Amino acid sequence: MSAPDPVENYGNTPRHIAVIMDGNGRWAKQRGLPRVAGHRQGVEIIKSMVQTCGQRGIPYLTLFAFSRENWKRPSTEVTLLLELLASTLENELLGLHEHRIRLRIIGDLSRFPQRLQQAITDADELTRNNKALNLTIAINYGGKWDLLEACKSIVELVEQGEIPSASITPELIESQLCTHELPEPDFFIRTGGEQRISNFLLWQLAYTELYFTHIYWPDFNQACFDKALQTFANRQRRFGKTSAQIKQLE
Ligand code: IPE
Ligand code: IPE
Ligand code: MG
């Protein structure tokens, strides 16, 4: 499947939302709970967001669940997080499939425990032909890693004589990224108060509308999501043009 055509203006609703779900640990700490309790509650918020995307007709949702930098956390937290990912995938897979959700996992999967790798393969195979929401989960993902891998594949194509170096275009680079089947994100949400990209979709966020909120991810309920969507609806996306040019098009 090739990437859908880029859409400059998909109306007031974002077509693709990318989310950094941050603040789970602080949410738990606030309540005197272990950090993993925040991650568990975070899974409930994912379910509610998936539901809302279905209701609002948002066809692509991409969530950052584990970064390449997250391996630096204490090993007990890393183990618990990976176990939670595997059990959530196993427990939710049939429900997602029933709702015709296409689940993709992006990132460097080679380093994961066998159980998680199996859960990922099963999810991909089962939901491959689903046409409702495209739910993408980024694990052991990093924007720099994604670009580096794309560079390596392109160099290989050139070295093998399959393409001349003159035909390296932005579209070719995009075709080699993990997100090649997805349109560019229209809207980026980061919860938890930090105002940074943390090595998420570096290339893909080039023209995305950014939204930062102090609310911790486990508290990011439907009302918070609706408020974010309202903010998006009030943004004017210009893609380099002037405001007057955009108004003319409307
Ligand atoms: C985000 O919450 C979840 C992951 C990075 C896996 P954090 O675990 O980063 O929570 P805080 O930022 O420490 O509160
Ligand atoms: C970003 O959150 C990664 C995920 C949500 C998976 P972090 O909590 O790891 O980000 P930094 O380290 O504060 O930038
Ligand atoms: Mg954090």
Side-chain angles (χ1 to χ4, degrees):
M1 182 182 134
S2 59
D5 292 336
V7 174
E8 284 204 358
N9 193 348
Y10 193 69
N12 287 337
T13 307
R15 180 192 204 189
H16 181 184
I17 305 182
V19 186
I20 295 189
M21 312 178 287
D22 197 18
N24 295 352
R26 281 164 288 163
W27 181 91
K29 193 172 176 207
Q30 226 178 26
R31 289 162 175 75
L33 297 169
R35 290 176 60 86
V36 70
H39 299 316
R40 284 206 189 96
Q41 184 55 29
V43 172
E44 297 308 310
I45 299 298
I46 294 177
K47 290 192 219 165
S48 127
M49 194 180 232
V50 165
Q51 225 175 14
T52 309
C53 284
Q55 288 160 1
R56 305 279 186 278
I58 295 161
Y60 292 88
L61 176 65
T62 299
L63 306 172
F64 204 8
F66 190 87
S67 73
R68 294 178 72 76
E69 290 74 23
N70 287 146
W71 293 106
K72 295 179 201 155
R73 293 191 177 197
S75 64
T76 44
E77 177 164 350
V78 170
T79 306
L80 284 170
L81 264 170
L82 297 185
E83 275 173 16
L84 183 63
L85 273 166
S87 62
T88 305
L89 269 179
E90 288 163 1
N91 296 338
E92 301 301 328
L93 184 58
L94 287 181
L96 291 172
H97 184 50
E98 269 168 27
H99 287 93
R100 316 311 297 161
I101 291 170
R102 167 77 161 101
L103 184 64
R104 293 179 178 84
I105 309 288
I106 57 167
D108 178 4
L109 309 180
S110 59
R111 202 175 151 181
F112 287 125
Q114 190 49 39
R115 177 177 164 207
L116 184 52
Q117 290 205 28
Q118 190 57 49
I120 291 168
T121 313
D122 292 348
D124 192 77
E125 280 171 10
L126 183 68
T127 67
R128 180 158 299 183
N129 297 316
N130 289 346
K131 297 277 185 283
L133 176 69
N134 288 272
L135 174 62
T136 304
I137 314 277
I139 49 178
N140 197 18
Y141 179 84
K144 286 189 180 179
W145 167 82
D146 200 1
L147 278 164
L148 185 67
E149 292 302 308
C151 287
K152 287 188 206 162
S153 341
I154 291 170
V155 167
E156 214 173 287
L157 288 172
V158 173
E159 278 178 355
Q160 286 169 356
E162 289 188 31
I163 52 158
S165 58
S167 64
I168 301 175
T169 57
E171 291 73 24
L172 180 74
I173 295 173
E174 273 152 23
S175 75
Q176 302 300 316
L177 295 172
C178 287
T179 49
H180 64 274
E181 292 181 331
L182 315 175
E184 280 174 11
D186 304 294
F187 196 33
F188 162 94
I189 298 173
R190 181 173 187 147
T191 61
E194 314 300 348
Q195 302 197 12
R196 53 181 174 250
I197 305 293
S198 297
N199 196 16
F200 194 24
L201 304 161
L202 298 180
W203 172 286
Q204 298 88 334
L205 291 174
Y207 249 111
T208 303
E209 294 297 322
L210 307 180
Y211 179 85
F212 299 95
T213 168
H214 278 90
I215 295 164
Y216 295 144
W217 176 250
D219 284 330
F220 195 74
N221 58 23
Q222 193 169 323
C224 303
F225 187 26
D226 277 337
K227 189 174 159 208
L229 289 173
Q230 196 51 53
T231 302
F232 177 85
N234 291 326
R235 300 259 178 107
Q236 187 189 53
R237 305 189 74 190
R238 290 194 283 276
F239 299 96
K241 295 177 185 166
T242 66
S243 198
Q245 284 176 299
I246 302 295
K247 285 217 173 78
Q248 246 168 26
L249 291 171
E250 283 170 0

